[in-house]
Amino acid sequence: MLSSKKLIKEINSLKEEMKQLESKRSRSMASILESLISHTEPNQTDVQFFRTFSAEIEVKREHLQRLIQQVEQQN
């Protein structure tokens, strides 16, 4: 089991990674939303980026929750 300090460091790192992924995902989401508003076909690359970033965020969110539980159990 990792020490609390290492867990907290990893938690902070995951939060930063998620923030960056969410920023990238929002750019794709804006492009998709614009195409929906203008009644055009969304760029498939943007759609794929959105799906990829969303999946990565979800995996990291689950990992983050497990780490937070470990910290809580150690305290």
Side-chain angles (χ1 to χ4, degrees):
M1 202 180 251
L2 295 175
S3 70
S4 289
K5 286 184 179 185
K6 286 185 180 182
L7 285 171
I8 291 170
K9 186 175 181 178
E10 190 170 347
I11 286 170
N12 290 333
S13 176
L14 269 174
K15 285 181 179 180
E16 184 59 35
E17 287 177 41
M18 287 172 57
K19 188 176 178 181
Q20 291 173 359
L21 287 170
E22 287 169 348
S23 176
K24 291 176 182 179
R25 179 177 68 173
S26 68
R27 289 192 296 262
S28 297
M29 186 171 23
S31 176
I32 293 167
L33 185 59
E34 174 61 33
S35 68
L36 290 174
I37 291 170
S38 63
H39 302 289
T40 60
E41 186 69 26
N43 182 315
Q44 290 305 307
T45 302
D46 289 327
V47 172
Q48 188 58 43
F49 279 140
F50 179 82
R51 288 180 178 153
T52 301
F53 292 137
S54 294
E56 285 184 51
I57 291 168
E58 186 60 32
V59 168
K60 290 187 183 299
R61 186 173 289 129
E62 290 171 2
H63 187 206
L64 179 63
Q65 290 172 348
R66 286 192 302 272
L67 292 175
I68 291 171
Q69 287 175 348
Q70 286 181 13
V71 169
E72 290 173 350
Q73 289 174 355
Q74 288 183 1
N75 292 331

